[in-house]
Amino acid sequence: MIDNASVQDTVGAQRLPGISEVHIVGIGGAGMSAIARVLRGWGVRVHGSDRAASPLAEALCAEGIAVSIGHRAENLGGADLVLASSAVPDDNIELAAAREQGVRVARRPEFLTTLTAGYDVIAVAGAHGKTTVTGMITLAMLEAGLDPTYIVGGVMANLATNARAGEGSHFVIEADEYRRTFLALHPAIAVVTNVAFDHPDCFEDLGYVRLAFADFVDNIVPGGLLVACADDPIARSLAASHHANGGRVVLYGISEASSDWRARDVRTNDAGGLTFAVEHHGIAQGEVSLQLPGEYNVLNALAGLSVASELGLEGEVARQALAHFAGTARRFEVLGEVGGITVVDDYAHHPTQIRGVLQAARDRYGARRLVAAWEPHTFSRVRALYPDFMAGFDEADEVLVLPIYAAREVDDGSLTSRDLARDLADAASRSSRGSGNPRRCRSAATLEEAVEDLVDSCRPGDVVLLMGAGREYVVGRQLIERLSRANTDQPAAPQHSGSGQQMPTRPERARAQSALDAIAEALPGVAERDAPLARHSKLGIGGPADVLVVARRREELLTAVGMAQAAGLPWKVYGGLTNILLPDAGLRGVVVLNRIQELAYGEDYRLTAGAGVVVVQLVRELLARGWGGLTWAVGLPGTVGGAVVNNAGAFGGEISRVLAAADVLCLDGTVARVPVDWFDFRYRCSKLKGAGAAWVVLSADFQLRPGDPEKLNAKAEEYTERRRRTQPPGRTLGSTFKNPPGDYAGRLIEAAGLKGARCGAIEVSTQHANFLMNTGGGTAADFRSLIERVQEAVSRQFGVTLEPEIEIVPESSAGVPGIPAERVVDCVED
């Protein structure tokens, strides 16, 4: 995508006439955050609000999209349009304020028609599987060289996002049947994976669900295509009706012989996924090896192949894309393994999904004990599908029922998790499970109680499956953190680490935990205990921090650091986490993400920017103003602070050439203003980079210059297009190695034959060899191993030692809470 400001403005004006600024209420949800990204890609100014913080909302903030936590009338800003999630009530204060001010208010369903207008829409619908199929189609199109706009219902592991505005003519979108939202779409290709009774709060029974899907199929544009699963009786029936009315149909399946695309010889592979042979009209098309378990994912892959064929993609390209597909967040997502206990999170919240996920786990993990931690989702769904839920856990050895997630409903106290656990135990005792030993079923009154239960009851070899569409993933993350601590806990007797420091005693650890709690309590809504760093890292790697502080104001950062210093706790400051490899074990003490958003334009083209301002967003605003000097940074990842620390550069430009001065936090806790010469800038380096650094950038002053807006935008377009052509999308830290004198790291790595080389799930990009990609589920250990392999090969063949450009935080930095800090440790920003 060409994200040059003037080009974006043109696209936005064409797509949304009269709309230059949009406020999104409920922006932290999967659907609304995706729309925000597409609008932003068109050049529309986007901001939003949500009732609570979430990983998706935090990710938007990191990309430069402002998100307010809590609903207030002043959040509207200068919006021309207020867009609201379906879950937002009509009496929401922001919607009321918009109506009073005469600002247009739209809901997501009606807005989808506008959003997708003018595209060839590929819409994927179904009770189950639509997120995965949408992701598979998107990845196949991207790997084939197409550039679709896409909206996926979950963050794709391969691309680290759920949406993007592309330059191609296609719009790939997950089509949601809830409240008949998918009827706003008019697809050129429609996919129906399956049809089942769900959403009893808006459908009376299965018949009404079927009618809604029939209406969705009727919306296919003339000459369009319906791709349907032949193994699902209702989907097959819809296809038959569509074909009888003159519509084009392609069927796929495993068991149904009439399928156009069919899978045979399905078997488990070494990666724990499934491999199968593909036939098209009875003619062999090769094999596909998936990373994902579950026969339902074989069907999902067949849907992807069917669409790829319709689009004219080469079969081998499509099959390879499916082999690379690493899934989406919360779809059989392995959160980690500690002490022989594997923790998996899945979005399953319908009985059919639960049965499928448990069977997939049984296929992958064999005889290992399966512990299902189920968070029921909405009272209406549980009541409507009660018998199916009671029969859905046959493959589980134990079931822990979490509190029912009310979502948009009200808890009247008539149904509890204790009731569900009791009835599940009764159902298990009546069923024939071979061993005659009824599974253990119990409930937890809170998520915290669920964590304690699992910590106490799980043993090595267990597989814990978190299932639900609410907040059950929090239990999984906290469980991993607790298990990690238990496995690294030190004995009470004093011991010495390799550095000569005395290990803390139990009372010292208790004091450290108390100090960490105090920091979290002092910064409500800003600090979080036991927070996984992976969700904030562009690479998607990093264990938990004891306390994570996301500081958007200078005083928040100073408070966190000051309290950590006073308590003798280790602390670190990072920026956008776009070129930092964090350890798998996480970081002990206090981790501060510097997201300070100060921004002030002065006279004579002088600019002051907070360290947390996203560089790309800043450059776009400068282009709009006609300010030159930073145009080369139009596609630079990360924040202003990180750019200063690393002396970031591209296309012949460097931060050191436009930086005038900066405010830094010093060792003694004071804030000093320092000139540019103080930084001792070198190629991709400054005195602030590395473990010995003892300062934190708070803001930076730039001396820029006037420019011709037309020429600036043309140059920015050129830079962005070059980045788009040469740099791969997805989970990467950017250029991994510095260019050696007189040569390029990427050329040397490619010449060494390492394109596509892998260690675990980390791969040398086949597009640009200086980029190492997390293809899904990768670890820091994998990343470091691949770095060493690349360095060894290049050194052996060419006599050149490649130096990492990224910052690698060693696993030893995980430490143990309670070790006295050296006042300031490893203050790095990226």
Side-chain angles (χ1 to χ4, degrees):
M1 179 189 69
I2 298 176
D3 58 359
N4 163 277
S6 64
V7 172
Q8 287 183 319
D9 290 344
T10 301
V11 173
Q14 291 173 344
R15 296 284 180 192
L16 299 172
I19 303 296
S20 61
E21 183 174 339
V22 175
H23 178 74
I24 300 179
V25 188
I27 197 170
M32 305 310 284
S33 63
I35 290 175
R37 288 188 167 103
V38 172
L39 293 178
R40 171 71 175 275
W42 289 350
V44 177
R45 186 182 177 205
V46 182
H47 45 81
S49 63
D50 217 317
R51 62 181 180 178
S54 68
L56 281 173
E58 183 59 43
L60 292 176
C61 289
E63 296 167 25
I65 298 176
V67 177
S68 301
I69 303 303
H71 299 300
R72 295 173 293 275
E74 55 267 30
N75 289 341
L76 300 185
D80 308 298
L81 170 68
V82 173
L83 182 59
S85 162
S86 300
V88 175
D90 286 333
D91 61 357
N92 176 274
I93 188 172
E94 294 180 6
L95 301 189
R99 295 186 186 103
E100 289 176 5
Q101 297 173 24
V103 178
R104 177 190 165 196
V105 175
R107 293 282 183 174
R108 175 170 169 260
E110 64 188 89
F111 187 69
L112 288 180
T113 303
T114 302
L115 190 72
T116 58
Y119 285 99
D120 293 325
V121 176
I122 303 171
V124 182
H128 325 299
K130 53 184 174 286
T131 298
T132 299
V133 174
T134 308
M136 286 177 165
I137 294 170
T138 297
L139 187 64
M141 294 177 71
L142 289 171
E143 293 203 3
L146 301 179
D147 190 14
T149 297
Y150 60 85
I151 287 180
V152 184
V155 174
M156 296 175 61
N158 299 84
L159 303 176
T161 187
N162 61 347
R164 179 176 178 268
E167 292 183 331
S169 61
H170 294 94
F171 199 130
V172 187
I173 185 168
E174 181 172 329
D176 184 8
E177 75 272 22
Y178 182 66
R179 294 191 178 178
R180 299 172 174 81
T181 299
F182 59 5
L183 299 186
L185 302 171
H186 298 276
I189 301 175
V191 179
V192 176
T193 61
N194 43 62
V195 181
F197 179 46
D198 199 4
H199 306 300
D201 53 337
C202 59
F203 296 112
E204 293 183 26
D205 55 32
L206 179 58
Y208 283 91
V209 178
R210 178 172 181 158
L211 288 173
F213 273 85
D215 290 341
F216 169 70
V217 171
D218 286 344
N219 274 356
I220 297 174
V221 300
L225 175 71
L226 170 63
V227 175
C229 180
D231 290 5
D232 183 82
I234 298 180
R236 188 171 65 247
S237 176
L238 291 171
S241 297
H242 187 64
H243 181 69
N245 290 323
R248 296 172 57 223
V249 170
V250 167
L251 296 175
Y252 64 90
I254 300 174
S255 59
E256 182 56 46
S258 63
S259 302
D260 300 290
W261 289 88
R262 195 175 182 190
R264 288 186 178 275
D265 188 24
V266 179
R267 59 199 185 276
T268 303
N269 57 40
D270 293 340
L274 294 176
T275 295
F276 58 95
V278 181
E279 290 183 354
H280 184 223
H281 295 306
I283 301 174
Q285 302 293 314
E287 286 195 338
V288 173
S289 289
L290 300 176
Q291 300 179 35
L292 311 178
E295 191 172 272
Y296 55 90
N297 277 317
V298 174
L299 290 171
N300 292 336
L302 288 173
L305 287 172
S306 301
V307 173
S309 177
E310 172 68 9
L311 294 172
L313 275 59
E314 292 185 10
E316 180 60 23
V317 171
R319 291 191 295 274
Q320 284 300 313
L322 293 175
H324 295 159
F325 183 71
T328 57
R330 303 184 67 183
R331 272 72 176 180
F332 212 94
E333 180 182 9
V334 179
L335 299 180
E337 180 168 338
V338 182
I341 299 170
T342 301
V343 183
V344 180
D345 180 42
D346 197 276
Y347 201 65
H349 56 284
H350 185 279
T352 302
Q353 295 168 327
I354 289 171
R355 283 194 297 271
V357 168
L358 286 170
Q359 185 59 58
R362 182 62 68 201
D363 293 342
R364 170 172 279 193
Y365 297 113
R368 292 176 65 178
R369 202 166 65 114
L370 300 184
V371 180
W374 171 43
E375 182 184 45
H377 192 269
T378 72
F379 299 94
S380 61
R381 177 182 282 111
V382 173
R383 289 191 176 98
L385 303 173
Y386 208 87
D388 296 323
F389 279 118
M390 294 301 105
F393 290 86
D394 284 350
E395 285 296 336
D397 296 291
E398 292 193 4
V399 180
L400 173 63
V401 185
L402 279 54
I404 300 173
Y405 189 78
R408 50 198 168 266
E409 299 178 351
V410 176
D411 182 2
D412 63 5
S414 63
L415 181 64
T416 68
S417 58
R418 182 179 299 176
D419 299 328
L420 291 168
R422 178 199 63 220
D423 291 348
L424 278 168
D426 289 344
S429 66
R430 292 192 300 270
S431 67
S432 173
R433 303 183 67 240
S435 66
N437 181 26
R439 64 172 171 263
R440 180 182 173 218
C441 301
R442 71 270 192 198
S443 63
T446 64
L447 298 185
E448 292 75 15
E449 185 178 311
V451 176
E452 295 296 332
D453 179 294
L454 294 169
V455 168
D456 292 340
S457 63
C458 289
R459 55 182 184 262
D462 286 356
V463 178
V464 180
L465 286 157
L466 285 304
M467 294 186 289
R471 290 183 54 79
E472 89 294 335
Y473 65 91
V474 174
V475 174
R477 289 170 177 169
Q478 292 184 1
L479 174 61
I480 289 174
E481 167 62 13
R482 290 288 302 278
L483 292 174
S484 298
R485 290 183 181 179
N487 277 271
T488 58
D489 197 19
Q490 303 296 323
Q495 298 182 10
H496 292 274
S497 67
S499 65
Q501 290 179 310
Q502 192 176 49
M503 298 300 292
T505 63
R506 292 186 187 277
E508 287 174 333
R509 287 200 297 273
R511 285 193 293 272
Q513 294 299 326
S514 178
L516 292 165
D517 290 338
I519 294 173
E521 292 169 3
L523 294 166
V526 175
E528 180 182 359
R529 285 288 261 127
D530 304 322
L533 295 166
R535 73 186 190 204
H536 299 276
S537 164
K538 185 183 178 187
L539 190 63
I541 288 176
D546 289 321
V547 170
L548 178 67
V549 179
V550 181
R552 295 187 178 85
R553 296 185 299 144
R554 183 180 292 204
E555 48 268 39
E556 292 169 348
L557 185 149
L558 296 178
T559 296
V561 171
M563 292 183 70
Q565 286 183 319
L569 292 170
W571 60 272
K572 296 174 182 285
V573 178
Y574 295 110
L577 296 179
T578 56
N579 73 336
I580 298 276
L581 178 62
L582 297 167
D584 295 318
L587 296 172
R588 301 286 67 84
V590 180
V591 176
V592 183
L593 299 187
N594 187 344
R595 303 290 167 80
I596 297 173
Q597 296 295 303
E598 302 169 2
L599 198 60
Y601 294 91
E603 297 180 354
D604 298 324
Y605 297 92
R606 188 87 166 195
L607 168 72
T608 299
V613 173
V614 177
V615 173
V616 173
Q617 173 68 7
L618 177 62
V619 175
R620 286 171 176 159
E621 293 196 17
L622 293 173
L623 290 170
R625 288 172 171 264
W627 285 31
L630 274 174
T631 306
W632 54 268
V634 66
L636 202 68
T639 61
V640 165
V644 172
V645 168
N646 295 288
N647 189 22
F651 304 116
E654 281 188 336
I655 282 291
S656 56
R657 299 176 190 173
V658 291
L659 183 71
D663 284 359
V664 298
L665 173 63
C666 300
L667 182 64
D668 60 2
T670 61
V671 176
R673 190 168 187 78
V674 296
V676 61
D677 294 343
W678 177 87
F679 286 92
D680 189 22
F681 283 120
R682 301 177 299 283
Y683 173 63
R684 302 295 182 265
C685 192
S686 73
K687 68 162 59 175
L688 274 69
K689 188 170 183 177
W695 303 273
V696 176
V697 175
L698 301 176
S699 66
D701 288 3
F702 298 102
Q703 182 59 62
L704 304 177
R705 58 180 181 269
D708 181 300
E710 184 175 346
K711 292 182 179 179
L712 289 175
N713 282 299
K715 182 59 69 174
E717 179 180 346
E718 174 191 337
Y719 291 152
T720 306
E721 176 61 17
R722 284 169 64 183
R723 280 185 177 274
R724 188 187 69 81
R725 285 197 316 268
T726 60
Q727 297 188 6
R731 295 197 164 185
T732 170
L733 294 178
S735 295
T736 306
F737 300 98
K738 297 178 181 178
N739 288 325
D743 209 335
Y744 296 95
R747 188 199 71 79
L748 292 169
I749 298 168
E750 181 175 358
L754 290 173
K755 270 193 171 182
R758 293 172 68 98
C759 284
I762 306 299
E763 178 182 85
V764 177
S765 169
T766 56
Q767 181 176 348
H768 191 313
N770 199 17
F771 285 68
L772 304 191
M773 316 291 296
N774 181 4
T775 62
T779 66
D782 294 336
F783 204 101
R784 289 194 300 271
S785 295
L786 191 53
I787 283 179
E788 292 170 2
R789 178 179 171 186
V790 168
Q791 289 174 318
E792 191 277 331
V794 171
S795 175
R796 183 179 66 252
Q797 295 188 44
F798 304 108
V800 175
T801 300
L802 292 180
E803 180 183 352
E805 184 170 325
I806 63 172
E807 193 79 26
I808 302 175
V809 182
E811 288 291 337
S812 59
S813 297
V816 178
I819 296 178
E822 298 256 357
R823 295 295 293 171
V824 180
V825 290
D826 199 9
C827 306
V828 180
E829 302 184 34
D830 73 309

